[in-house]
Amino acid sequence: MSSAATRSPFVESQLAAPASPLPGAGVPWLDAARREHLAAFAEAGLPTKHVEAWKYTALRALAQRKFSTGDAQAAARAIDASAFALPGVDGPVLAFVNGVFRADLSQLAQLPDGLELRPMSQALREDPEPLRFTLSRYEPEKGDVFVRLNAALAGDGVLLKVVAGAKVAAPVHLLFIGAPAEGDVAWHLRHVIELGEGSELSLVEHHAASGDQRHLGTTCTDIVLREGAVLHHAAFQDAAPGAALIRRTKLHLGARSHATVHVVELGAALARHDLQAELVGNEARFDTRGVFLLHAKQHGDTQLAIRQQALNTTTDSVWRGVADERARGVFRGAVLVEPGADGSDCNVQNKNLLLSEQAEIDTKPELVIYADEVKAVHGATVGQLDERALFYLQSRGIPQAQARGVLTAAFCRTVLDDLPNAELRAYLGDRLVAQLPA
Amino acid sequence: MLKIENLHARVAGKEILKGLTLAVNAGEVHAIMGPNGAGKSTLGNVLAGRPGYEVTAGSVEFNGVNILELPPEERAAAGVFLALQYPVEIPGVNNTYFLRTALNAQRKARGENELDSMAFLKTVREKLKIMQISDDLLKRAVNEGFSGGEKKRNEIFQMALLEPKLAILDETDSGLDIDALKQVSQGVNALRSPERSFLVITHYQRLLDYITPDFVHVLADGKIVESGDRTLALKLEEHGYAWVKEHEAGVVGEPA
Ligand SMILES: Nc1ncnc2c1ncn2[C@@H]1O[C@H](COP(=O)(O)OP(=O)(O)OP(=O)(O)O)[C@@H](O)[C@H]1O
Ligand SMILES: [Mg+2]
């Protein structure tokens, strides 16, 4: 709790008027909701390490920094969009720079049948009413002040809907570019994604940098899969080395729906990702694969929280972490199988590799099971490279540094094995290898 | 080619090799036999440069070079190859990729040009004639889920591809069925040449029916305690290692 006198510089800086008016400003219900969220944020302040969810991720340094509330020049900054093309990702593009939609960098002409895709800012300006329920309903998770901050200050984001039965083949590229500005900027995006019954979508969430900066970005993504929907979601976090990125992705899975999420985290000084899923329909399935590769003084924190609430649901999570130099990694894999979710399976595997003595990774699998006939497996390790494997490679003539690289790359790459988009898989694999110590 | 003199080595603080002396000339095949725990694998590991194997005295010269100073990869590039008693599984590393990386690393270290994937595949196809292993094994991760016999064949295939000057085969025959034993032996024999030497560690005289050794040595308690021609293996088969000890102690004469 904080009064005006004890507020941190960070919180104080976020209470200033937005750098430019937020889209939707003047809409009474939205103004009211934003005011309420901002007040709650100011009241709560940033979480300390006494808050369980932030135990291993200290925000003391962030609390001392000030960020301008948005980038008034974001729409005009010169950006070369071609630098951010991804192999195998050739569908529609929705691009944002420092949290502001950029039509000039997007590709929204001739959307595939059954796909509705547009920026939230446009919807808020033209016809905000349909968003009223989504944006004013809010169930604050305890301690989640960044969700509050995001709700108070997000004026843009992705609105995506796949109509029932539509199968959208070309992957949709959601591109979030951080660009150098006059100072450090805080930007916020809110995404609302819905896959209708029996629909299919492939989505690429891409965080990138067009130059070095130390902005703070927050994103809140809500994804709903109706009955039988299929989602392939690949998230590639390649933000600027100085950036702070705090993301919350929440999936809601209906009966027989299936979401697969692949996450590759390479960039940012501070990257926190809360990946949450509720399996509310019978036989829903949720597979996650992810890796963070940290060096220098990077801090990466992935919090996976899964709730299996219906019969015969399945979740399978395979995560890897690598930390070098003075980097710090955190992984929490929590699965709750609720009463009644009988016949469900869950698996959480997390393996971590420390490449230096100063690096640290904390991992914590948590399985809580209240249902019957549940198959649950979990495992978490933190260690070094297998010495026997290292010797084996060296004994065949591969120099030690290269052998370490080969083994580390193999360790990371496993999470990409079942990424269906072969071109993207190869690209991400190469990027992982490129980031490994030489 | 290989000159080991008075070699002493420790593993985990315990002295295992206790003054081992052995000379191998180019083109020779030496068999090393001896009881469990005698130090045979330790010898192989020391020669290949495995970390944790500490040489406390003695010397090893390989073609005039003191290889004890070199890291494993440089010994490999110089021509030392160890087929492991227990080959290691490496999940996530494709076998073909592994072979190509190894071969090119050695070529680079020797100042030869690296092979592109076309040239490499051509070499692989040639070597497949020497040592049949299925395509499937080449596509899979190194040794992962391979049967015991498949792992051993993979070792010999690597040897065929890397063309070492000195190949140390540590119980490559253990766990092989009769057909595989023949194939592995054929693979080894195909590679025998006046420039290439072999140290064949085995418990079974049977292997030596297929790979005819020039010399047979008995390694016991960290030393070579008996050396002879291939008939020594037959005597061992008949009388066991107890005979060697007695023989060494001068208690009994050579059995007729
Ligand atoms: N890493 C190690 N740590 C501890 N002891 C070891 C290690 N490696 C070898 N030893 C010990 O050294 C001794 C010799 O082992 P080595 O593997 O060389 O025997 P060997 O002659 O190959 O036996 P075998 O015929 O059973 O393969 C054994 O007593 C073994 O337990
Ligand atoms: Mg042995």
Side-chain angles (χ1 to χ4, degrees), chain B residues 156-228:
Chain B
I156 298 303
F157 184 69
Q158 289 171 32
M159 179 181 77
L161 197 72
L162 297 172
E163 300 182 320
K165 297 198 178 90
L166 170 69
I168 306 155
L169 310 183
D170 191 356
E171 293 198 30
T172 303
D173 54 334
S174 300
L176 292 182
D177 66 37
I178 296 157
D179 292 341
L181 181 68
K182 278 186 197 162
Q183 278 187 17
V184 162
S185 308
Q186 278 163 14
V188 171
N189 287 331
L191 288 166
R192 284 182 77 158
S193 87
E195 293 83 45
R196 187 170 292 130
S197 312
F198 291 84
L199 268 186
V200 180
I201 298 170
T202 182
H203 284 296
Y204 305 108
Q205 137 70 21
R206 194 183 52 175
L207 177 72
L208 306 179
D209 287 340
Y210 298 108
I211 305 173
T212 316
D214 299 301
F215 299 93
V216 175
H217 309 277
V218 178
L219 201 168
D221 196 23
K223 287 195 286 277
I224 302 288
V225 295
E226 185 76 40
S227 296

Side-chain angles (χ1 to χ4, degrees), chain A residues 187-313:
Chain A
W187 54 262
H188 311 277
L189 289 169
R190 175 75 196 271
H191 312 308
V192 181
I193 295 167
E194 182 181 340
L195 280 73
E197 268 181 37
S199 68
E200 283 184 31
L201 176 70
S202 155
L203 204 59
V204 178
E205 170 192 341
H206 182 191
H207 300 270
S210 84
D212 201 17
Q213 31 76 16
R214 301 180 69 222
H215 302 333
L216 165 71
T218 76
T219 67
C220 277
T221 308
D222 285 289
I223 304 177
V224 174
L225 283 82
R226 304 281 177 214
E227 188 169 339
V230 176
L231 171 69
H232 290 286
H233 183 150
F236 176 38
Q237 191 272 99
D238 187 27
L245 208 50
I246 296 176
R247 288 133 66 212
R248 195 224 51 186
T249 307
K250 191 168 195 168
L251 295 100
H252 182 90
L253 289 98
R256 284 173 294 286
S257 67
H258 183 184
T260 307
V261 179
H262 286 85
V263 182
V264 173
E265 304 260 0
L266 295 184
L270 168 66
R272 160 78 173 224
H273 186 200
D274 285 79
L275 176 55
Q276 306 168 347
E278 295 170 342
L279 288 81
V280 297
N282 293 345
E283 290 166 48
R285 181 176 178 111
F286 182 55
D287 296 316
T288 68
R289 307 281 181 262
V291 57
F292 54 67
L293 189 49
L294 306 168
H295 63 112
K297 290 177 80 175
Q298 278 184 297
H299 185 108
D301 179 353
T302 295
Q303 303 270 321
L304 181 66
I306 295 172
R307 291 168 62 176
Q308 298 183 223
Q309 300 170 305
L311 288 174
N312 302 318
T313 57

Side-chain angles (χ1 to χ4, degrees), chain B residues 11-12 14 16 35-42 53 85 171 203:
Chain B
V11 187
K14 189 173 142 205
I16 306 296
N36 294 132
K40 303 181 297 297
S41 294
T42 301
Y53 290 74
Q85 183 172 2
E171 293 198 30
H203 284 296

